[in-house]
Each structure stands twice: as structure tokens, then as C-alpha cells.
């Protein structure tokens, strides 16, 4: 998943704790293999996972996939519809134009992006849950699950930890956090909301218990050209970077939902993002703009403490009852 996964488990039996860690990491490996769109060459080439096979057969035919892949795509397309296409996992061809992760990165020609954009439309992902098949209807289409796979894997790893009897755990998969139970001391886990302009700094502290928090930012993958930062969160209608926010954090019960929504809100921007998140039940958000203004949903009032560091200013708490 191109990121660091950190899992902390607290329990009284060391052997039980170690086994839980092993199994939780195995879940991440499994979901990574299913959702990766690049072949794994190291240590040895492995059989291609679902996403590689789906992309390979774009425009040609449907592909038999696992329950996990069906679930990820259904959830992604549910939010694609709700967000008016702000979240769209058919963004593969456009992500290929931007080529993040290569040594030499440059801004692609607009004709190239224009061509790729024609292939982006989540409605052309045909999901058949009965037959457990997926079909990308246009040749050249491709899936990119980078905005949802980490959150989904986090939910599945939490399920495994629970089944193994773990009562206290904290997972952080590249900014996708899940707090299982309380910390070992009985108090909620305390999780920092990163300062988007200082990797050592913290804008606020979140108290979490049996809850997920996902963060998207313009600093996680990017390159600079002509003093402009070209990052990895793309507006599906234009093929260009979303620029109205620099960081979004979403708090929800499901890590899958939080992951999808943090990316979706980043694309929607502060105004549309805030009204969108307020239309969803039991979901909170912290949105940070390029001007260092922070907007927060009112339901986070009791679990969020700002540090006052880094020059961030809380623009206001948005509540539903206005
Ligand atoms: P995240 O860090 O969860 O916000 O995910 C960012 C990743 O999601 C990117 O690296 C892309 O792989 C993918 N992505 C970028 N823009 C979008 C979008 N508008 N909809 C869905 N996935 C996206
Ligand atoms: Mg995401």
C-alpha cells in the first residue's frame, strides 16, 4: 500500500498479543495484494490480484473476484454517487498521467489528461454481487483503490483483532487510524491531527474509542514544478489537483467510510465538503484550508482539543441546527 502500517495491541498475554499482531498484518498483506494495481516483483512474482485482473480485462470481459473486492467497490460507488462523483475509483488512467512514485515527475500535457479523463466514470464499473464479478465497460479503463484500500484493510484487521479477543488496540495505516476500545489505562486513545505543514507538529488531539479517523493531505505524495505543488488528490471532473483544502480528517465508525470520505471532502472543498459531511449520520470532519483556517463539525466539540500551534485558526464549528 506504499505506506507504513503501525499496529499497537495491549493485552495481558504476550503470546496472544503477538499472534494478534501477526494476523492483523497478514490481513493488510492480503488486502494489499487484492487491491494493488502494480504487479509485485519482489521477492518473486506472485499471481495477479483482483484489481490487476479487472484492469487487464477492461472492455473485454468480467472478472471473478473476492467478496472483499465487491465490498470495496460497492462502498466506493455508493459514495461516488452521494458525492456527485468527487470520489471515483475509476481514476486509474488519470493517476497514470501524473505518475506519482516515479523518480522523474513532471506535469503531463493537458491533451494527455483530457484523453485519460474520457475513461473516468464510476458508473462504468459494473459490479455483480450475485455472480461476484466486476467488469470495466470501456477499453483502457482502470481502477485505482488508493483512496479506500487502507481504510478497508484497517476495518478487516480490527475485525481479526476482535475475534482474537483483543480489547485495546490502535492501528495507523498511513493516516488511517482505528482506535479499538480504550487505551490500556481505560481512557480513550489520544490521536494527533497532523500539522499539514510540519510533519513533527500537531494541530489538535482527538480522543477516540471504537472509532476511525482518516486523514488526507496534499503532502503525502507530491512533486513540485515551478514552485507549484502537484499532489495526489485529483478532481475527477478536471484531472487536476484539488486545491481548496490542504488536509481533511474524517471521524466515523467505519475506517472504510472515513478513508473514502477524507478523500471525497478534500475534492469537494470547505463549503461543499462541510455540507456533505453534515448530511451523513455519525460522521465528523476537520477541514484545513491553505489559509490555515480550520472548519470543524460541531459533533467533535467534546473530543477534539486544539494545540494552538502552527498558526492554525478555528474558523468555526459547523452544526446542523442553524
Ligand atoms: P487518500 O490518501 O486516502 O486521500 O487517497 C489518495 C489516493 O486516492 C491517491 O493516491 C489516488 O490513488 C486516489 N485518488 C486520488 N484522487 C481521488 C479521487 N478523487 N477519488 C478516488 N480516489 C482518488
Ligand atoms: Mg482516503
Amino acid at each position: 500500500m506504499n505506506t507504513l502500517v503501525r499496529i499497537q495491541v495491549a493485552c495481558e498475554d504476550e503470546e496472544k498479543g503477538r499472534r494478534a499482531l501477526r494476523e492483523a498484518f497478514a490481513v493488510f498483506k492480503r488486502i494489499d495484494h487484492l487491491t494493488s494495481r502494480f504487479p509485485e516483483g519482489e521477492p518473486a512474482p506472485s499471481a495477479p490480484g483482483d484489481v490487476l485482473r479487472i484492469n487487464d480485462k477492461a472492455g473485454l470481459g468480467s472478472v471473478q473476484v473476492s467478496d472483499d473486492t465487491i465490498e470495496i467497490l460497492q462502498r466506493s460507488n455508493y459514495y461516488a454517487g452521494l458525492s456527485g462523483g468527487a470520489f471515483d475509483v475509476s481514476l486509474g488512467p488519470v493517476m497514470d498521467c501524473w505518475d506519482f512514485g516515479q523518480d522523474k515527475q513532471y506535469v503531463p500535457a493537458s491533451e494527455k489528461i483530457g484523453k485519460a479523463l474520457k475513461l473516468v466514470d464510476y458508473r462504468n464499473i459494473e459490479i455483480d454481487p450475485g455472480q461476484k464479478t466486476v467488469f470495466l465497460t470501456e477499453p483502457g479503463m482502470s481502477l485505482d483503490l488508493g483512496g479506500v484500500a487502507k481504510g478497508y484493510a484497517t476495518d478487516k484487521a480490527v475485525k481479526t483483532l476482535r475475534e482474537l479477543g483483543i480489547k485495546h488496540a490502535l492501528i495507523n495505516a498511513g493516516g488511517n487510524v482505528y482506535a479499538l476500545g480504550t487505551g490500556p489505562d481505560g481512557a480513550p486513545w489520544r490521536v494527533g491531527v497532523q500539522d499539514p505543514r510540519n510533519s513533527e507538529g500537531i494541530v489538535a488531539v482527538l480522543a477516540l474509542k471504537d472509532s476511525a479517523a482518516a486523514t488526507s493531505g496534499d503532502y503525502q505524495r507530491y512533486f513540485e514544478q515551478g514552485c507549484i505543488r502537484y499532489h495526489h488528490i485529483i478532481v475527477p471532473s478536471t484531472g487536476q489537483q484539488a486545491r481548496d483544502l490542504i488536509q481533511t480528517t474524517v471521524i466515523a465508525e467505519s475506517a472504510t467510510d472515513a478513508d473514502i470520505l477524507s478523500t471525497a471532502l478534500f475534492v469537494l472543498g470547505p463549503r461543499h465538503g462541510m455540507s456533505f459531511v453534515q448530511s451523513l449520520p455519525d460522521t465528523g470532519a476537520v477541514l484545513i484550508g491553505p489559509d490555515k483556517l480550520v472548519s470543524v463539525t460541531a459533533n467533535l466539540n467534546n473530543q477534539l482539543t486544539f494545540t494552538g500551534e502552527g498558526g492554525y485558526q478555528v474558523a468555526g464549528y459547523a452544526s446542523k441546527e442553524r
Side-chain angles (χ1 to χ4, degrees), residues 87 146-148 176 214-216 258-264:
F87 188 80
V148 55
N176 291 266
T215 295
S216 295
D259 192 2
I260 293 174
L261 289 169
S262 70
T263 312

Side-chain angles (χ1 to χ4, degrees), residues 86-88 91 95 144 146-147 216 220-221 232-234 236 259 263 267:
F87 188 80
D88 191 326
L91 209 55
M95 293 312 292
D144 178 331
S216 295
Q220 286 161 339
R221 296 169 80 194
H232 69 141
I233 303 177
I234 302 293
D259 192 2
T263 312
V267 171

Side-chain angles (χ1 to χ4, degrees), residues 40-54:
E40 288 159 34
E42 301 290 328
S46 60
D50 284 355
V51 165
L52 271 167
R53 292 188 306 115
I54 293 168

Side-chain angles (χ1 to χ4, degrees), residues 249-278:
T249 300
V250 170
I251 293 85
E253 213 172 285
S254 144
T256 309
D257 290 358
D259 192 2
I260 293 174
L261 289 169
S262 70
T263 312
L265 296 188
F266 199 107
V267 171
L268 287 170
R271 257 176 40 127
H272 296 302
M274 208 27 110
S275 57
F276 178 53
V277 74
Q278 288 185 292

Side-chain angles (χ1 to χ4, degrees), residues 136-148:
L136 304 182
T137 63
E138 308 303 313
M141 271 182 85
S142 64
L143 297 177
D144 178 331
L145 301 187
V148 55

Side-chain angles (χ1 to χ4, degrees), residues 32-48:
D32 183 29
H33 178 252
L34 280 181
T35 57
S36 174
R37 61 194 195 100
F38 302 106
E40 288 159 34
E42 301 290 328
S46 60

